[in-house]
Amino acid sequence: MKYVKLNNGVEMPMLGYGVYQIPREECERCVLDALKVGYRLIDTAQSYFNEEEVGNAIKKSGIPREEIFLTTKVWIEHYGYDECRASVLESMRKLQVDYLDLCLLHQPFADYFGAYRALEDLYEEGKIRAIGISNFYVDRMVDIASFARIRPAVNQIETHPHHQQKEAKAWHDKYGVQMEAWAPFGEGRGGMFELPELKVIGDRYGKTPAQVILRWHLQRGIVVIPKSTHIERMEQNFNVFDFVLTDADMETIAALDKKQSAFFSHTDPSMVEWFVKMVKERTGKQNANDEKKEW
């Protein structure tokens, strides 16, 4: 496994396993399979609703806690200092751990500075080994990196061959914030796995287009967290340390950049409204559930 040293000296595996959109009924088995394959970075989030299953898998694996790099993320409805702090402690309870290796703010909306102050205090108390952000566009990354007490160690953002984030990478390097790619394959959109350029490169090394993409991320210095529910695919994704792309290969892939998201833009006002609506709906449901408990 290849590791990267974060800006606070903590070492983070560069290849991990993400559990986004993995149903609760499958998650425990999938994480156990990933750990069996050799993954030691596991990435979850409050909004994935599978933290408990991740925690169960880690406990059942028998792997010493210190060998696993565990990440979770705080969702928007838990922003603000008090809510964020309480939610992180609840995540730790669900995950059955007494510390997190990395905790991120999931989205750049609402009172993220208040939430980040909670992460800073939890970091200083030793409950989190590294803190960071997710989906923060460059301007907001520079903002929080400049004014927060503790600079973010990681920013997890959409990055793949059709949205390479070259300018963002330069700014992250300038501020010492490690880029981590979610949707490193762009979820296969735009015929990603069928691109002839990737097939030609892969055939040269006896690798699949997916393996070429992961190797490309790693050689750019970007942490990746591919997801699969099939152990055979997990093994393929893990088997990317036995070949090296040439400069010409890297240039070929660089030419595939469309410089646009395959999903949505966080700077689109209509998308911000969508997030606001979702948070209000979920908060309303939670309040209703709390009232039922009181009865």
Side-chain angles (χ1 to χ4, degrees):
M1 176 56 64
K2 187 175 181 181
Y3 289 80
V4 63
K5 185 172 287 188
L6 302 179
N7 59 22
N8 66 348
V10 168
E11 291 193 339
M12 178 181 188
M14 291 198 69
L15 174 63
Y17 180 69
V19 298
Y20 174 58
Q21 291 185 331
I22 295 182
R24 297 184 67 170
E25 59 270 18
E26 289 190 71
C27 187
E28 184 177 314
R29 187 266 304 168
C30 287
V31 174
L32 278 168
D33 284 347
L35 291 170
K36 187 185 302 181
V37 168
Y39 292 88
R40 290 298 179 266
L41 162 58
I42 305 296
D43 179 278
T44 184
Q46 293 172 354
S47 66
Y48 299 170
F49 300 107
N50 55 22
E51 287 177 313
E52 290 178 332
E53 287 70 27
V54 170
N56 289 340
I58 290 174
K59 187 174 182 179
K60 289 181 179 179
S61 73
I63 298 170
R65 171 68 184 92
E66 62 271 16
E67 293 183 16
I68 296 174
F69 191 100
L70 180 59
T71 301
T72 195
K73 311 176 198 72
V74 180
W75 190 241
I76 311 166
E77 64 203 52
H78 299 307
Y79 281 12
Y81 184 92
D82 292 335
E83 280 286 332
C84 178
R85 182 182 179 88
S87 77
V88 172
L89 296 176
E90 176 63 10
S91 288
M92 290 169 59
R93 184 193 68 78
K94 290 179 178 178
L95 290 162
Q96 304 175 58
V97 296
D98 54 11
Y99 72 91
L100 297 168
D101 295 282
L102 177 64
C103 190
L104 310 176
L105 298 184
H106 208 150
Q107 302 287 348
F109 307 126
D111 184 13
Y112 61 81
F113 264 103
Y116 196 77
R117 285 194 293 273
L119 295 189
E120 290 175 321
D121 285 354
L122 289 166
Y123 171 81
E124 291 179 336
E125 293 167 19
K127 291 182 171 61
I128 309 174
R129 297 180 65 223
I131 60 177
I133 51 182
S134 176
N135 294 306
F136 277 55
Y137 275 36
V138 171
D139 57 339
R140 297 205 179 191
M141 183 278 291
V142 172
D143 177 28
I144 200 164
S146 300
F147 293 104
R149 187 167 78 248
I150 299 171
R151 183 168 292 186
V154 172
N155 188 13
Q156 187 181 117
I157 59 177
E158 177 192 354
T159 315
H160 48 78
H162 282 164
H163 191 41
Q164 300 186 14
Q165 303 271 25
K166 296 172 186 174
E167 182 179 357
K169 179 68 166 58
W171 281 102
H172 283 77
D173 289 347
K174 178 179 180 179
Y175 280 82
V177 178
Q178 175 63 44
M179 262 179 60
E180 181 178 14
W182 63 258
F185 304 130
E187 293 188 357
R189 298 188 182 193
M192 185 77 69
F193 298 126
E194 305 302 322
L195 292 173
E197 296 89 344
L198 298 179
K199 284 190 170 185
V200 168
I201 294 172
D203 288 344
R204 194 179 308 131
Y205 302 103
K207 298 294 182 179
T208 66
Q211 289 172 311
V212 170
I213 292 171
L214 291 177
R215 185 68 210 182
W216 167 77
H217 280 294
L218 295 173
Q219 288 185 213
R220 293 183 71 207
I222 296 174
V223 174
V224 285
I225 45 171
K227 178 203 78 175
S228 177
T229 58
H230 305 287
I231 191 168
E232 297 82 9
R233 189 66 54 79
M234 295 178 196
E235 291 170 342
Q236 282 187 5
N237 291 341
F238 197 75
N239 187 22
V240 292
F241 296 101
D242 58 350
F243 73 109
V244 178
L245 298 175
T246 65
D247 290 343
D249 294 333
M250 297 294 286
E251 290 172 6
T252 296
I253 300 172
L256 300 175
D257 194 4
K258 295 182 178 180
K259 300 181 180 180
Q260 62 184 23
S261 170
F263 304 94
F264 56 83
S265 170
H266 284 76
T267 62
D268 179 354
S270 63
M271 284 307 307
V272 178
E273 287 185 337
W274 181 84
F275 275 105
V276 171
K277 181 181 178 182
M278 178 172 58
V279 169
K280 286 182 177 179
E281 288 177 350
R282 285 175 49 170
T283 301
K285 289 179 181 178
Q286 183 60 51
N287 289 340
N289 288 336
D290 290 343
E291 289 178 7
K292 289 179 182 179
K293 290 177 183 177
E294 291 177 3
W295 282 99

